Structures are given as structure tokens and as C-alpha cells.
Amino acid sequence: MINALGWRALLYKEILRFWKVGFQTVGAPVLTALLYLTVFGHVLEDHVKVYGTVSYTAFLVPGLVMMSVLQNAFANSSSSIIQSKIMGSLVFVLLTPLSHWGWFLAYVGSSIVRGLAVGLGVFVVTALFAMPGFVAPWWIVIFALLGAAMLGTLGLIAGLWAEKFDQMAVFQNFLIMPMTFLSGVFYSIGSLPSFWQTVSHLNPFFYMIDGFRFGFFGVSDVSPWVSLAIVSAAWLVVSAIAVHLLRIGYKIRG
């Protein structure tokens, strides 16, 4: 049974945790995305055309927004869990009458909030340079929510698994970052050789970004329905793993 009051209190606490240092957790990623847009847009704007008529800078905006959503959703839940474990404050959450579902809803929910907050900030700033269209806004909302939920759940798993910051860095640097950058943020996979197109289709992050970009332009490398099915299935799998780890108290109960 889910303790509604309990998980909402934990959700509120997790949102306050990142919002109190909003300049670092929200402002810094927005600045980073702006630098990417400035550099790549300036260098490649006159040399790369995507989907026929879409300018490269406009193409880049949704990719940077989604990349920011994914990376910050992961960072939120993973950093919260590992910091609480190392500082010893996790015991206070363990003492509450929260079920594993309550933990899951609170940590993933706060990750979604942070991911969407950063994504919105990135969009507002980058859209000043090139405003993409809004052909199918519901696809934008669906993939933003699914992407943030997916990475928030992965961050929860990583935080439970890691016992120190070095292990968390391994997870971040050798899994999340490469999969994010190799997912079509800066390019259309149609421009890649066939081998790398095949590799890209094995990356679930590609479907999140491709489906998200479809909402802006109405064009994508893969049908948004295919992307929706793959991303939804992947999230259900990682959610099942995360809930199971929370249920057995993996690395959080002695």
C-alpha cells in the first residue's frame, strides 16, 4: 500500500533539495546547452541541412533540450541517493513508513520535475536563436515525460548500486554520457554509414530524442509510434528493476 502523504512529503523534499541550489542544478545546464548551440550552430549552420528544409540550428534545439532533460533527470535521483548513503542521512528515510513504491514515486517524480525544468530553460534560451515549429505538441510532451522518467529511474538504480562517487562517475561517464551523445542530438542518423545507423537503432536514447524531435518538425528518422513503443517498453523494464531493488532494500538496508 502506498502512503500518499509520505511519498508526497519525500517528493517535496527532493524538489527543494535541487531547487535550493538552482543556479547549479538548473542554471548551469542551461548555460552549457547554450554554449553547444553557439559553437555547433555557428560552425555548421551553412554546411548542414536536415530533413530538406530545416536549418541546422533549428534541428539542434530539440536535441539539446532533450539531452538536458535526460542528463539532469539522471543526475537528480542518482546524486540524491548516493549523497544520502555516504552522509548517512538515508536512515531517516528508512525509518519512515514508506513502501518501495513510495520511494520510487518520490525519487523518479522529482527527477522528472528537474529534467523538465532544465529542458524548459534550455528551450527558452536556445529558441531565441532558432524557433522550431510545433507540428505535434503532444509528442513533445509525451517523450519529454517518458525520457525524464526513464533517466530518473536509471539514476535511481545507479544510486542504489554505487557505494561511492567514483562508482557513480563510472556509470555516468561510460554509460549515460556516451549513449546520450550518440543518440542523434547533433546529427540525423540518416547521414551515418549503414553500420553506425544499425548501432544507433540499438540505443534507446535515440528513440527518445527522435520522437521528441518529431513533435517539432513532423519528420523523424523512425516512426514516433515505434519510438513510443520502444521507450515505453524500456522504461517498464528499468522500472521493474528499480522497484525490485527498493523492495529488497538493495545496498540500503543492513
Side-chain angles (χ1 to χ4, degrees):
M1 183 176 179
I2 301 177
N3 184 331
L5 182 61
W7 79 261
R8 288 173 184 170
L10 182 57
L11 172 66
Y12 181 66
K13 171 254 184 189
E14 286 298 308
I15 292 175
L16 280 182
R17 184 189 70 85
F18 80 78
W19 194 252
K20 289 181 70 175
V21 287
F23 187 78
Q24 174 186 342
T25 57
V26 179
V30 171
L31 177 60
T32 299
L34 180 60
L35 291 174
Y36 277 127
L37 183 74
T38 302
V39 173
F40 282 90
H42 176 73
V43 172
L44 299 176
E45 174 65 27
D46 296 329
H47 303 283
V48 179
K49 292 293 181 184
V50 190
Y51 303 147
T53 59
V54 178
S55 71
Y56 180 72
T57 302
F59 171 85
L60 198 56
V61 168
L64 290 173
V65 171
M66 194 58 167
M67 182 182 75
S68 302
V69 169
L70 300 181
Q71 291 181 348
N72 285 276
F74 175 86
N76 191 73
S77 53
S78 61
S79 63
S80 179
I81 292 289
I82 190 65
Q83 286 175 6
S84 297
K85 287 168 68 174
I86 291 175
M87 296 174 63
S89 59
L90 194 64
V91 66
F92 298 110
V93 183
L94 289 169
L95 291 173
T96 63
L98 273 176
S99 68
H100 50 282
W101 281 108
W103 283 55
F104 179 81
L105 291 174
Y107 282 106
V108 175
S110 62
S111 297
I112 293 174
V113 173
R114 176 173 167 182
L116 295 182
V118 174
L120 180 60
V122 171
F123 176 76
V124 169
V125 172
T126 56
L128 297 174
F129 294 83
M131 174 64 77
F134 292 94
V135 175
W138 280 112
W139 285 116
I140 297 173
V141 174
I142 289 170
F143 279 103
L145 288 171
L146 269 177
M150 174 79 167
L151 269 292
T153 306
L154 279 174
L156 181 56
I157 294 173
L160 292 172
W161 168 77
E163 297 178 348
K164 51 187 178 180
F165 286 108
D166 290 348
Q167 293 176 329
M168 182 59 65
V170 169
F171 203 103
Q172 175 86 23
N173 295 331
F174 290 94
L175 180 64
I176 302 302
M177 290 293 287
M179 291 180 71
T180 303
F181 278 96
L182 297 176
S183 59
V185 172
F186 301 100
Y187 54 86
S188 168
I189 67 165
S191 63
L192 299 176
S194 58
F195 171 77
W196 290 109
Q197 289 187 37
T198 302
V199 172
S200 296
H201 281 98
L202 299 176
N203 181 2
F205 289 22
F206 157 71
Y207 297 97
M208 300 179 207
I209 291 176
D210 196 57
F212 183 73
R213 190 174 271 132
F214 176 86
F216 289 94
F217 304 116
V219 183
S220 57
D221 293 308
V222 176
S223 166
W225 291 103
V226 173
S227 296
L228 178 63
I230 292 174
V231 174
S232 298
W235 182 49
L236 288 175
V237 170
V238 296
S239 294
I241 295 172
V243 170
H244 173 69
L245 295 178
L246 288 170
R247 182 177 60 81
I248 65 176
Y250 180 71
K251 291 191 176 182
I252 56 176
R253 291 190 177 97

